[in-house]
Amino acid sequence: MLEGIARYLHDKGIVTFDPTGVAGDIFMETMPPQPRDAVALMSTGGDEPLVRHPFDTRKFQVLVRGGADPRPPLARAEAIYDALQGLAGVTLPDGTYVVAIGAVQAGPIRLGPDENGRHMFSLNFWMRVHVPTEYRKGV
């Protein structure tokens, strides 16, 4: 799911995704010390799944880091918010079918500078996805 979001944001021109993980500026489940300008996608759990219906609600956090000037990372965080908030009925590049994505709060939250003076912002989303299995095909 996170790779699908990373690829989707890459296709929108907001981030640079490298599937090998050695280059680019978006990362999954980690925020490395470099590059300075970076985005991290972190899974944060989800709601209790429905027993017979093939849908799950998963949650994730987006961390956006920049330099000493808070305006560029804030603008990037706003672009990510605009790209994901309300997204529905879309198959992501990794094959994940998105029923809907919604933000937990209206816009980025300022986290302040990190230990190196680089400003950070956070976004939190829920994502309803279609995940049929042998026992969860719907009723």
Side-chain angles (χ1 to χ4, degrees), residues 50 100 110 132:
L50 301 170
R110 180 183 175 278

Short mmCIF file of all heavy atoms in Angstrom, two decimals, residues 50 100 110 132:
data_model
loop_
_atom_site.label_atom_id
_atom_site.label_comp_id
_atom_site.label_asym_id
_atom_site.label_seq_id
_atom_site.Cartn_x
_atom_site.Cartn_y
_atom_site.Cartn_z
N LEU A 50 -13.62 -5.61 8.77
CA LEU A 50 -14.92 -6.26 8.65
C LEU A 50 -14.69 -7.75 8.41
O LEU A 50 -13.75 -8.13 7.72
CB LEU A 50 -15.71 -5.64 7.50
CG LEU A 50 -15.98 -4.14 7.63
CD1 LEU A 50 -16.54 -3.59 6.33
CD2 LEU A 50 -16.92 -3.87 8.80
N ALA A 100 -11.41 4.97 -0.93
CA ALA A 100 -11.36 6.39 -0.57
C ALA A 100 -10.19 6.65 0.36
O ALA A 100 -9.78 5.76 1.11
CB ALA A 100 -12.66 6.83 0.10
N ARG A 110 2.55 21.38 11.81
CA ARG A 110 3.96 21.74 11.98
C ARG A 110 4.53 20.97 13.16
O ARG A 110 4.01 21.01 14.26
CB ARG A 110 4.07 23.24 12.23
CG ARG A 110 5.49 23.71 12.42
CD ARG A 110 5.51 25.22 12.74
NE ARG A 110 6.85 25.64 13.03
CZ ARG A 110 7.45 25.51 14.21
NH1 ARG A 110 6.82 24.96 15.22
NH2 ARG A 110 8.69 25.93 14.39
N PRO A 132 -10.01 -8.34 -1.20
CA PRO A 132 -10.76 -9.60 -1.14
C PRO A 132 -9.84 -10.77 -0.84
O PRO A 132 -8.67 -10.79 -1.26
CB PRO A 132 -11.38 -9.71 -2.53
CG PRO A 132 -10.50 -8.90 -3.40
CD PRO A 132 -9.95 -7.79 -2.54
#
